[in-house]
Amino acid sequence: MEHTILDGIVIEERENISLLEFCEICKVDAEWVTALVYEGILEPAQTGSEHWFFSGTSLRRALIINRLQQDLDINLAGATLVVELLEERNALLARIN
Amino acid sequence: MEYKDYYQIMGIPRDATQDDIKRTYRKLARKYHPDVSKEPEAEARFKEIGEAYEVLKDPEKRAAYDRLGTRWKSGQEFQPPPEWGQGFEFHGGEFAQSAASQFSSFFEALFGRNQGGRRYSNQGFSQRGEDSHAKISIDLEDSFNGGIRSLTLQHTETSSEGRPHIRERTLNVRIPKGIQQGQHIRLAGQGSPGAGQGKAGDLYLEIIFKPHPYFSVEGKDIFMELPVAPWEAALGATISIPTPVGKVDLKIPANSRSGQKLRLKERGIPSTPPGDLYVVLQIALPPAESEQARAFYREMEQKLAFNPRARFNI
């Protein structure tokens, strides 16, 4: 078993993630994802159909927001703000390094 | 197993009030949250603090823990006393909503296995395993060529007799070509095992590039400083430079300036679309150490009529 080579997916490179798969990966329900879309932090691709598709960046954000909510007991708007500030900080840190 | 001093971990006195414990926990949780913190070992600290809080926030568990006495030191070899567990109700209890998902074997020996889910509990006995997170350091070259990295992870497991022990497992993970610093590989089903019919959690690996002697990385783009001689910059030259996939010849245009950036299109990280390689020219001055060199600089001064500060108008 230990010699098996594991293939993973690179989250940030994923595209067109369906709502179902999105919920499955984050272990959340669709209602929670909908709330994040209305918060403006997740932007599903408008494909013309009624189904939502998400980018890997959205998935990454949702995973962090979920953890922040659970671990630090902050509400959706607060967790969303933290994620936006984290992205800004990481971009600035990357620039000075 | 090792004794854990939960008061020391949280940095509070043994007679701290429940309010103090809660306040301290919330402060530490914000400081060491792995998504937010830049502290080294933040993840490990966060788990440790979560475990300490799980015990100290509950007056019943705290009282039981306090009964072990003060003679123990952190890290000391520990076995629970034989009468341990009698008269307490928490064995096998639910530890829902806990910040830390995987507790130490010390915790499990005292208070039983963590059977409560902190995220979404499924109905009945089945319980999905927790997601795990780890960082993996790779060379920049691994992103160019792809490759396989093995990493060793530790987790606590409970044997058939109910004793917790630490198990190590080695995973061989394929590093996809074109991966970037800070991206995450998700390995479905490689996190903590589930309970009952519950599926295992997922494992997330964060990619960290090891520092490189020549190259720095920003997203998909790679930067390198290239020292050039004044005559190479002035007259133009073709120079061999290293790239992560081998040598290439770079043409330096005549009259190049120091700090000038030359872009080698699509020589950066090979994702889709690929990044670029930027070469930043640094003009290196030959030292004036010999009389011959000094004479040559004086000759330049006389013949070139060059004022590097012309824009100051003084």
Side-chain angles (χ1 to χ4, degrees):
Chain A
M1 265 307 277
E2 303 222 321
H3 296 287
T4 322
I5 294 161
L6 298 168
D7 278 296
I9 56 154
V10 180
I11 296 185
E12 290 83 354
E13 301 276 304
R14 279 291 310 274
E15 281 170 43
N16 295 325
I17 307 166
S18 71
L19 181 59
L20 193 73
E21 190 186 358
F22 198 92
C23 292
E24 153 79 16
I25 292 176
C26 296
K27 296 153 191 88
V28 294
D29 51 31
E31 205 181 322
W32 186 82
V33 180
T34 311
L36 283 187
V37 172
Y38 286 120
E39 198 65 47
I41 188 83
L42 303 186
E43 286 168 2
Q46 293 298 337
T47 51
S49 75
E50 284 179 10
H51 298 291
W52 275 346
F53 289 95
F54 295 92
S55 66
T57 312
S58 289
L59 177 58
R60 174 85 198 119
R61 284 179 178 163
L63 285 164
I64 296 176
I65 291 171
N66 191 14
R67 272 201 299 274
L68 288 171
Q69 275 197 286
Q70 303 282 340
D71 295 339
L72 301 183
D73 203 16
I74 25 188
N75 68 18
L76 209 59
T80 300
L81 177 65
V82 172
V83 166
E84 282 172 344
L85 290 174
L86 279 178
E87 287 177 1
E88 200 177 310
R89 180 190 71 174
N90 291 342
L92 289 172
L93 281 177
R95 215 181 291 172
I96 52 173
N97 285 339
Chain B
M1 78 195 66
E2 289 180 356
Y3 175 80
K4 284 190 182 288
D5 186 338
Y6 289 141
Y7 291 101
Q8 192 190 45
I9 285 168
M10 290 187 73
I12 47 174
R14 293 184 78 90
D15 59 358
T17 65
Q18 291 304 119
D19 277 350
D20 284 342
I21 290 171
K22 188 174 177 186
R23 211 171 14 244
T24 306
Y25 168 72
R26 297 192 65 85
K27 228 171 164 173
L28 293 173
R30 283 197 300 273
K31 184 169 178 195
Y32 289 103
H33 194 277
D35 288 313
V36 180
S37 180
K38 286 278 165 209
E39 304 274 337
E41 304 295 314
E43 182 125 18
R45 275 289 279 148
F46 186 71
K47 278 188 178 162
E48 201 176 49
I49 294 157
E51 178 178 320
Y53 184 58
E54 189 68 46
V55 174
L56 299 184
K57 75 172 182 193
D58 177 347
E60 225 181 297
K61 284 205 201 83
R62 186 180 174 191
Y65 176 78
D66 286 347
R67 287 212 325 196
L68 293 173
T70 52
R71 64 193 172 94
W72 299 96
K73 295 266 169 295
S74 243
Q76 198 180 345
E77 186 58 27
F78 173 85
Q79 284 298 325
E83 76 282 11
W84 178 260
Q86 290 170 17
F88 295 120
E89 288 292 320
F90 43 69
H91 263 259
E94 291 269 314
F95 300 105
Q97 292 299 313
S98 155
S101 53
Q102 291 149 326
F103 292 151
S104 68
S105 41
F106 173 75
F107 179 96
E108 291 187 351
L110 295 181
F111 303 109
R113 269 211 88 182
N114 177 12
Q115 291 170 345
R118 64 173 167 140
R119 309 237 190 267
Y120 282 72
S121 323
N122 299 327
Q123 298 296 310
F125 175 67
S126 289
Q127 177 68 55
R128 216 193 133 120
E130 289 286 338
D131 291 345
S132 313
H133 299 263
K135 290 190 165 92
I136 181 167
S137 292
I138 64 168
D139 294 317
L140 178 60
E141 286 81 359
D142 289 335
S143 168
F144 277 79
N145 304 318
I148 292 157
R149 283 268 144 182
S150 33
L151 72 158
T152 305
L153 299 170
Q154 283 189 339
H155 65 269
T156 314
E157 240 182 27
T158 310
S159 66
S160 48
E161 303 94 55
R163 278 180 188 280
H165 60 102
I166 290 182
R167 204 177 88 96
E168 277 197 351
R169 65 190 173 128
T170 302
L171 298 178
N172 296 308
V173 181
R174 195 181 306 280
I175 306 298
K177 195 172 156 172
I179 199 154
Q180 295 161 43
Q181 159 101 0
Q183 288 190 325
H184 295 75
I185 300 178
R186 173 179 181 261
L187 297 166
Q190 294 293 333
S192 300
Q197 301 296 309
K199 280 201 280 185
D202 305 322
L203 172 63
Y204 289 90
L205 299 176
E206 183 182 344
I207 297 290
I208 311 279
F209 284 159
K210 293 181 197 159
H212 196 284
Y214 317 141
F215 306 111
S216 62
V217 186
E218 204 176 296
K220 296 176 182 183
D221 297 329
I222 293 183
F223 292 80
M224 74 173 294
E225 287 192 352
L226 180 69
V228 290
W231 50 91
E232 289 170 331
L235 306 174
T238 301
I239 298 176
S240 272
I241 61 159
T243 77
V245 285
K247 275 195 308 187
V248 297
D249 286 336
L250 174 67
K251 213 174 151 204
I252 313 279
N255 287 313
S256 291
R257 289 168 292 106
S258 203
Q260 192 168 329
K261 235 188 251 176
L262 303 177
R263 183 173 77 133
L264 280 77
K265 203 167 172 260
E266 302 189 349
R267 294 273 186 177
I269 288 184
S271 72
T272 350
D276 302 323
L277 171 62
Y278 288 93
V279 175
V280 184
L281 300 182
Q282 301 293 346
I283 296 178
L285 219 50
E289 277 168 348
S290 62
E291 186 44 47
Q292 198 186 5
R294 281 189 291 271
F296 191 60
Y297 272 116
R298 276 192 292 269
E299 198 185 329
M300 279 212 287
E301 183 188 4
Q302 287 153 15
K303 288 189 179 163
L304 291 181
F306 173 58
N307 179 7
R309 294 169 298 277
R311 68 191 176 93
F312 292 163
N313 283 325
I314 44 172

